[in-house]
Every structure is written in structure tokens, then in C-alpha cells.
Amino acid sequence: DAGVIQSPRHEVTEMGQEVTLRCKPISGHNSLFWYRQTMMRGLELLIYFNNNVPIDDSGMPEDRFSAKMPNASFSTLKIQPSEPRDSAVYFCASRLAGENIQYFGAGTRLSVL
Amino acid sequence: QQQVKQSPQSLIVQKGGIPIINCAYENTAFDYFPWYQQFPGKGPALLIAIRPDVSEKKEGRFTISFNKSAKQFSLHIMDSQPGDSATYFCAASFTPRLTFGEGTQLTVNP
């Protein structure tokens, strides 16, 4: 299995632009998680889906952030408009039902100038 | 408050040494305590995990010690190697959510 696949690996954009991060979970996994990693705040859970349905989005920092999971093999995290303080590494992780282990992708490093 | 406190922030040891990383949690509802290892440019990967009904778990050179009454757990790395140099995160789970500690940057010198 290829594992969790995230794209792009790096994204550089200007303040005010829309940014879309993509994630393909491991086939057969039914839970998907979006995390943000910064030096100041560490690894933070933004939102997670179960069977494509958003369950808990309490970690989404503000309305500029939105996430979707249109099917079991694809999810997006969108930031509109982006701000410099959004600069971070964003990770996607997936999990098989009944198991505790979360498998992480390699992350997307976002820089907002 | 669902927090996990991790220390130290950074740790440097010589090859063969036994680094110890400590974590403390508050929420007694947590039911699963994993440790993740992260190399630069990579995502975190599960290293070892323990449930609160077990006081110790060993996998190869990695051991978790768990003290339920003190709400603390720690990671020990026996005979550490330069290849163990990475950032280590403890976490606590109230399934399926994971709450991570702040991370410990470990450097093992040759």
C-alpha cells in the first residue's frame, strides 16, 4: 500500500490567495484526520471525518478554513483567504475502523507570504 | 482539559545511552497512549503504544513505562543509536481523537 498521500508537498502562496490541500487516505480506512504542526503549538487536530462525515471540527481555527470529504478516497482542506499566520505543515492521517493507529502522510508545507 | 505535557523539549545523548522522555496527562478518560517518531520532512509514525491497564510494554529497544495513579508515562530507548535521532511525540487517545504532547527533539551523537 502507498500509505496516505498528500499533495502538494510544498505550497508557497501570497496572502489573500486560496489554498487547497489534498489527501488520499489508505484504501479501506474509514476515518480521516487533518492536523496542523507549528513550532509554537505543536501538532493540533483540526477536523476529523468518519465514513466521509465530519464528526468534530472544533479545531478548525476560523471560518477561513474548510474541509470536505466527497468520497472515501479523497479529502481537501481549503484556506480562503490565506494569511501569513497559516504558514505551517499540514498533515493528513487515516485510521481503520476498530483500530487505534493513525497513519500519517508526509505533510504539506505551506508558506503564506 | 485534554492536555498532554511532555518533557524535555530537547535531549542529547551519546550512542549507547538511554534517553528517557516523560509525559503527563490530565483526563482519566484517555484509553490509549501511543508514542510517535518523526524524522525531518516526514509525517509522524507509530513507534509503540500502551493501554492503561498495563504498567510496561517493551518492543525491541523501546520501552513504555506507565503509572496510572500518577497519570504519567515515559519512553525509554535502550542502547540508543544515531539513527534514533528524531522528534518523539507522546499522545493520549480518547478514541479516535489523539492529543499530542509538545514533542522532544532527540539527538544521539556517535
Side-chain angles (χ1 to χ4, degrees):
Chain A
D1 199 317
V4 177
I5 299 173
Q6 291 187 245
S7 64
R9 290 296 315 276
H10 303 274
E11 177 80 34
V12 180
T13 190
E14 292 188 347
M15 182 174 63
Q17 296 298 304
E18 177 179 296
V19 175
T20 299
L21 311 182
R22 296 172 175 79
C23 176
K24 177 179 168 55
I26 294 173
S27 178
H29 285 195
N30 71 326
S31 295
L32 183 140
F33 307 80
W34 282 100
Y35 291 88
R36 179 172 66 177
Q37 185 176 39
T38 61
M39 289 296 292
M40 290 296 295
R41 300 175 66 92
L43 268 164
E44 303 174 276
L45 177 65
L46 300 178
I47 184 172
Y48 79 89
F49 296 82
N50 208 40
N51 294 321
N52 313 336
V53 176
I55 302 300
D56 184 353
D57 65 354
S58 60
M60 296 286 262
E62 48 196 277
D63 292 344
R64 297 185 297 107
F65 286 69
S66 62
K68 294 182 179 180
M69 192 165 186
N71 56 62
S73 59
F74 184 67
S75 177
T76 60
L77 178 67
K78 185 175 294 187
I79 308 172
Q80 166 63 20
S82 58
E83 296 182 2
R85 60 192 167 121
D86 302 330
S87 297
V89 181
Y90 291 82
F91 288 103
C92 174
S94 70
R95 167 185 165 268
L96 185 64
E99 291 190 358
N100 291 102
I101 303 172
Q102 293 186 20
Y103 297 85
F104 283 74
T108 295
R109 181 174 295 276
L110 173 65
S111 297
V112 183
L113 307 177
Chain B
Q1 186 67 286
Q2 297 210 8
Q3 287 186 334
V4 178
K5 295 294 186 182
Q6 182 173 346
S7 64
Q9 190 173 17
S10 63
L11 188 55
I12 300 173
V13 300
Q14 293 299 119
K15 177 183 174 182
I18 307 175
I20 300 172
I21 305 171
N22 300 298
C23 285
Y25 63 97
E26 298 174 359
N27 190 342
T28 55
F30 288 136
D31 57 4
Y32 174 73
F33 299 86
W35 286 87
Y36 278 77
Q37 180 187 53
Q38 184 180 25
F39 292 104
K42 304 290 186 182
L46 179 69
L47 185 64
I48 186 173
I50 198 168
R51 293 199 176 276
D53 53 351
V54 177
S55 61
E56 185 176 281
K57 184 173 181 180
K58 184 176 181 179
E59 288 185 1
R61 296 184 293 109
F62 301 92
T63 299
I64 299 178
S65 297
F66 189 87
N67 186 330
K68 188 174 181 178
S69 61
K71 293 190 285 186
Q72 295 175 348
F73 58 111
S74 60
L75 176 70
H76 302 228
I77 305 176
M78 307 300 290
D79 187 27
S80 59
Q81 301 295 313
D84 296 330
S85 297
T87 301
Y88 292 82
F89 293 92
C90 64
S93 175
F94 184 62
T95 305
R97 295 181 58 103
L98 276 176
T99 300
F100 285 90
E102 298 90 339
T104 296
Q105 188 167 351
L106 172 66
T107 301
V108 182
N109 289 324

